[in-house]
Amino acid sequence: MREQHAVASATIGRIATIDDLREHLQWAIELEHATLPPYLCALYSLDPQRNPEAVEAVAGVFIEEMLHLALAANLLNAVGGRPRLDTQRTLPSHPRRLPHADPSLELSLLPFGAEALDMFLRLERPAPPGAPPEGDAYETIGQFYDAIEDGLRRLCDRLGERAVFSGDQARQLRAGHFRNTAGRMIAVTDLASALAALEEIVEEGEGTSRGAVWDGDPDVHHPDRDEVAHYYRFQELRAGRRYRRGDTPRSGPTGEPITVDLAGVLPMRPNPRIADHAPGSAIRTAQEEFNDTYCLLLHLLEQAFNGSPRLLAVATATMYRLKAQAQALMRMPDGEGTTAGPTFEYVPPEHRRWSADGSQRIVVLPDGPYLVYGGVPLKRKRKIVAPENNAALTWRTGETLATEDTYALCRCGHSSAKPFCDGTHARIGFDGTETADVRPYEELQHVHDGVGISAQRVGELCVHAAFCIGRTRPIADMLADTEDSDVRSDIMGRIDHCPSGSYSYALERGGETIEPDLPQAISVLEEENGLAGALWVTGGVPVQRADGRPLETRNRMTLCRCGHSAGKPLCDGTHRKIDFREESPDAGTGTAEDRATTEHRIRPTGQVR
């Protein structure tokens, strides 16, 4: 970054302690996030067939702002802070101020056009020569980051780098977690890497050395040419021409023409709000659904920034759903020649269809993975079968898989990092519609009595693990011989091995159900001949459907992970019919963790692939 000015503004003194620094870096996170809703509105209003160059420009800026958000989170984590995104303060009503900026810098939700370009140019405006660092009420984003740089240098001089950079390095997002832009994802561990991260943010927005058009990276869409900084990309769109080598900020762009077809822009009503429409109306319902999805994105990003970096793939995959919801809104007439649009209003956690209170639980995401909270242990279990006839005998517990406190498990069956989600569900358009019966087990069960045992069964829960079939005859036939205690004991043992709990038993009809003592855990099942089975949830871990309704909490249940069950999210044994397999964790190049975080990338169109 540029040399620090001799004369510092009074606000620099505010970054005098580590706490001051953490506060300003949290503001940086809020600042970088604040740019996202306006860019998304402009992007989603563009017809990509009629305005491909404008789509490339706005999408490229949006992608890099996501990178800047991640870099700001790395900076805060590096100095022992805790990034916050899923808060009411993150999503105030639009129009809104840029956090802690000059009050004249206001952000609105607008369709692409002259007014939106004016706003973006004001937002990305480079600091003028000699402009002092400004830690609050800053005129330009560059001046704000100069104040952070100044504070970092002063604190390192006074306290030493080790005292300043005291954060857990495991929380750092690295290149493997965010390979979706021509910019650099920098893990921050010391002053040099912190300054490099700040430089990356400022140069992508304002250009190298605060006086050049270029940002120092290759163009993300056209790697054969240099990339123009954000401010100058918007100048290109306004002027209708590209910058070429030799052009300067003073000369303006003199290169090839850029075509912008304003007739190919959806006429979204500026700054829409949910309150503009009656409860239950089509537009309001669609806006509420969008806001719920956007808050899910914020929640996933916050989790990714706070110790669960693999969730970044799930967060970016959520952009598919957001885009579809936003564009559907922008095609709904809203009077006076305008259409509706997303409102980006905060949904408090207690009003969301999904919830996460920090306890051990599994939340099914809409058309997405299982989100597992509370550090539920994840293990592998392999079915042991008789070599002579493949009769199911027992389960053998295998390795414990390394997880973060919050992690996501594949539900579509196509992740390249099974059992973890890598975001592929979004690319393939996975339909995760849930059809499982939510009635309690007691209402669905069929009871079959024997001597000293009453067997209970819910056929809809059967995953065809075959423990109930046995080597010679099924449990249903054996009940007639339960005067023999050995037969009775055999039945009890087989039922105890039933992973889904389709079968259970009591000592007498209506008596207390006897369940095996199982830990709170999730087991990735492998059946005979390498067949990949269900996710076996034990110990009463609660499971919440995507529509917010809970499944009955039971000692054992099985969740589909092949993506083809007719009773999602529960397994119905379809994995056996389709011969579902799980690739070896070390198949291909890199580790399963690498693939879980690198396979999912934001596309230049603002989508993900």
Side-chain angles (χ1 to χ4, degrees), residues 345-511:
E345 293 175 80
Y346 188 71
V347 182
E350 63 272 17
H351 294 153
R352 298 173 188 173
R353 296 181 181 179
W354 51 276
S355 64
D357 57 10
S359 61
Q360 289 192 324
R361 63 173 54 237
I362 299 169
V363 175
V364 183
L365 296 187
D367 298 329
Y370 302 107
L371 204 56
V372 184
Y373 292 92
V376 180
L378 183 66
K379 305 174 182 293
R380 291 190 180 274
K381 281 186 183 290
R382 184 165 63 88
K383 185 197 287 184
I384 304 301
V385 299
E388 65 274 11
N389 59 8
N390 272 349
L393 300 177
T394 188
W395 296 101
R396 173 183 290 170
T397 301
E399 64 176 320
T400 297
L401 299 176
T403 67
E404 292 101 10
D405 188 57
T406 304
Y407 57 95
L409 296 175
C410 175
R411 187 160 73 101
C412 72
H414 290 274
S415 170
S416 63
K418 298 182 190 72
F420 299 104
C421 171
D422 69 353
T424 301
H425 60 275
R427 179 175 57 81
I428 65 173
F430 171 62
D431 181 359
T433 303
E434 296 157 286
T435 56
D437 198 322
V438 296
R439 287 180 293 170
Y441 185 97
E442 188 174 344
E443 289 185 21
L444 297 170
Q445 69 184 4
H446 297 277
V447 181
H448 306 277
D449 293 329
V451 177
I453 185 171
S454 179
Q456 302 140 180
R457 182 172 185 269
V458 176
E460 294 88 340
L461 300 178
C462 181
V463 299
H464 307 290
F467 286 94
C468 61
I469 296 175
R471 294 180 297 278
T472 57
R473 55 184 178 149
I475 285 175
D477 291 346
M478 295 173 66
L479 285 168
D481 297 328
T482 48
E483 288 184 354
D484 185 333
S485 61
D486 287 341
V487 174
R488 204 181 312 149
S489 176
D490 189 11
I491 292 173
M492 291 175 178
R494 294 190 196 184
I495 291 176
D496 283 348
H497 284 104
C498 174
S500 67
S502 170
Y503 257 117
S504 63
Y505 70 88
L507 299 182
E508 60 184 6
R509 180 179 282 259

Side-chain angles (χ1 to χ4, degrees), residues 243-284:
Y243 281 93
R244 61 181 176 180
R245 274 296 168 192
D247 287 346
T248 66
R250 182 181 294 273
S251 74
T254 66
E256 62 189 73
I258 293 178
T259 300
V260 176
D261 180 3
L262 293 180
V265 178
L266 296 168
M268 185 192 89
R269 178 199 286 193
N271 295 318
R273 295 192 183 186
I274 279 182
D276 295 339
H277 300 279
S281 63
I283 288 178
R284 180 161 177 161

Side-chain angles (χ1 to χ4, degrees), residues 125-141:
R125 179 165 60 96
E134 293 177 329
D136 202 353
Y138 49 89
E139 295 179 70
T140 69
I141 292 173

Side-chain angles (χ1 to χ4, degrees), residues 30-41:
E30 295 167 16
L31 153 65
E32 297 300 343
H33 167 264
T35 68
L36 302 184
Y39 285 138
L40 283 179
C41 281

